Amino acid sequence: MNNDQIFRSRARVLDEDLTGRASTAGADALLARIVALEPALEPAPARRRFMPSPRRALLGLAVAAALAGAVVVGPSLIGRSEQVYAGQAVTIDRVGDEYVFYFTEGDPDPAELQKAFHKVGLDNLTVTLIPVSPRQPGSVFGFESSDRGAKATFTGDSCPERVEDCITAFSVTADIEGPAEVRLSRPAKPGEKYAYPADAGWPGEALAGVELQGRSAAEAARVVREHHLKVSYALDWPLRNGDKGVRFEVDVPVSRIDPGWQVATAESYNDGVIVLHVVPGPSATPPPGF
């Protein structure tokens, strides 16, 4: 993925921010490492936007891709370091010209984090916690700063090497000028809507243990409604020019869904609606822009 695909000039943790994004083979390779819609019963113009795929185990980098600032995905933050703070939720090391944060709580107290940041002189750094599926602790990461020289690095797989029970880790430039914000995921509270979708069949989700992949759109919709849930549709259009991946057309009216088309995945936002991602048949004509 190039920078044009990844970064935007303004960060918002909303679905709309992923407009214009495609799921590519490169994105899938990265995301595999990290891991309220009304039912469309009447024909209506469909809005087009591109969203993370629930086929990925975690959604962290999709969020990082939607946020502004220099974000780097590194294989490891382990190296020569000096511990400068240790608290219940976070441990902070100084590594060169960066501070490295190791989180051991999935839902840390923001007040405790601000105290930790103050201890190392990052008074202008704040953290926003974003509700996601409890199956995705530490999966969301984003960084925004008005300081063009500031950068952030995210890693989720190597942090236990440094701190026991570490969930996620990131580093930021030590001398950030002006305000900066880091966004991290936290487990959603019971009944709380997710900021980003989860696989509807995961344990604890609305269709836990139910496999809809490969079923027809009509059969999948029937199963969803049997669980007293609403249905929304998205179409997964293959990328053109030989590229691997798909572009997601969401909020597609049921009138455009062939009942025999197959379901690729089913997403949940924990809001009583299941989004069925449907693969268009070979004779289907994509709309303009797809």
Side-chain angles (χ1 to χ4, degrees):
M1 298 175 66
N2 57 37
N3 288 338
D4 291 338
Q5 291 174 303
I6 296 177
F7 300 117
R8 298 189 57 175
S9 60
R10 185 65 181 164
R12 292 289 186 273
V13 183
L14 298 171
D15 291 342
E16 297 91 275
D17 292 328
L18 298 177
T19 302
R21 299 293 181 261
S23 171
T24 66
D28 286 336
L30 289 173
L31 286 164
R33 294 178 51 210
I34 308 179
V35 272
L37 306 168
E38 290 299 320
L41 298 179
E42 297 296 332
R47 293 184 290 112
R48 293 190 298 274
R49 66 187 183 211
F50 309 123
M51 302 171 62
S53 168
R55 277 162 285 193
R56 302 159 189 161
L58 285 178
L59 302 164
L61 290 183
V63 179
L67 299 178
V71 179
V72 180
V73 179
S76 176
L77 294 178
I78 308 303
R80 298 186 61 180
S81 62
E82 176 188 0
Q83 180 176 298
V84 293
Y85 179 87
Q88 181 176 344
V90 62
T91 296
I92 306 176
D93 285 356
R94 178 65 184 256
V95 182
D97 61 354
E98 296 181 334
Y99 285 114
V100 186
F101 299 82
Y102 303 93
F103 286 82
T104 52
E105 288 188 359
D107 192 5
D109 181 358
E112 181 183 347
L113 297 184
Q114 291 305 132
K115 176 183 176 181
F117 298 158
H118 179 74
K119 286 286 186 179
V120 298
L122 292 174
D123 296 336
N124 291 326
L125 182 65
T126 59
V127 169
T128 299
L129 300 175
I130 303 164
V132 300
S133 167
R135 293 272 296 175
Q136 299 171 317
S139 64
V140 172
F141 175 79
F143 176 69
E144 179 181 12
S145 175
S146 58
D147 183 353
R148 292 185 176 274
K151 71 174 183 177
T153 303
F154 172 67
T155 181
D157 55 0
S158 63
C159 65
E161 299 175 28
R162 170 64 181 86
V163 176
E164 186 178 2
D165 299 325
C166 181
I167 296 174
T168 192
F170 68 87
S171 70
V172 295
T173 307
D175 58 352
I176 297 176
E177 297 182 0
E181 180 186 27
V182 170
R183 298 187 177 188
L184 296 174
S185 60
R186 63 165 176 80
K189 297 177 175 62
E192 184 178 16
K193 183 180 178 181
Y194 303 153
Y196 296 93
D199 191 308
W202 281 347
E205 297 300 337
L207 294 176
V210 177
E211 181 60 68
L212 296 182
Q213 183 177 2
R215 299 197 190 193
S216 70
E219 181 182 3
R222 177 183 58 77
V223 172
V224 171
R225 295 188 176 105
E226 285 177 351
H227 284 76
H228 307 290
L229 299 166
K230 297 179 181 179
V231 179
S232 181
Y233 296 97
L235 287 175
D236 293 7
W237 294 101
L239 295 179
R240 298 182 179 182
N241 302 322
D243 293 334
K244 294 182 179 180
V246 295
R247 305 181 83 177
F248 303 141
E249 182 186 4
V250 303
D251 298 344
V252 178
V254 67
S255 60
R256 291 184 52 208
I257 303 297
D258 187 312
W261 289 348
Q262 287 191 337
V263 170
T265 50
E267 293 178 336
S268 170
Y269 286 86
N270 198 38
D271 61 352
V273 179
I274 302 300
V275 182
L276 297 178
H277 278 254
V278 179
V279 179
S283 62
T285 302
F290 286 84

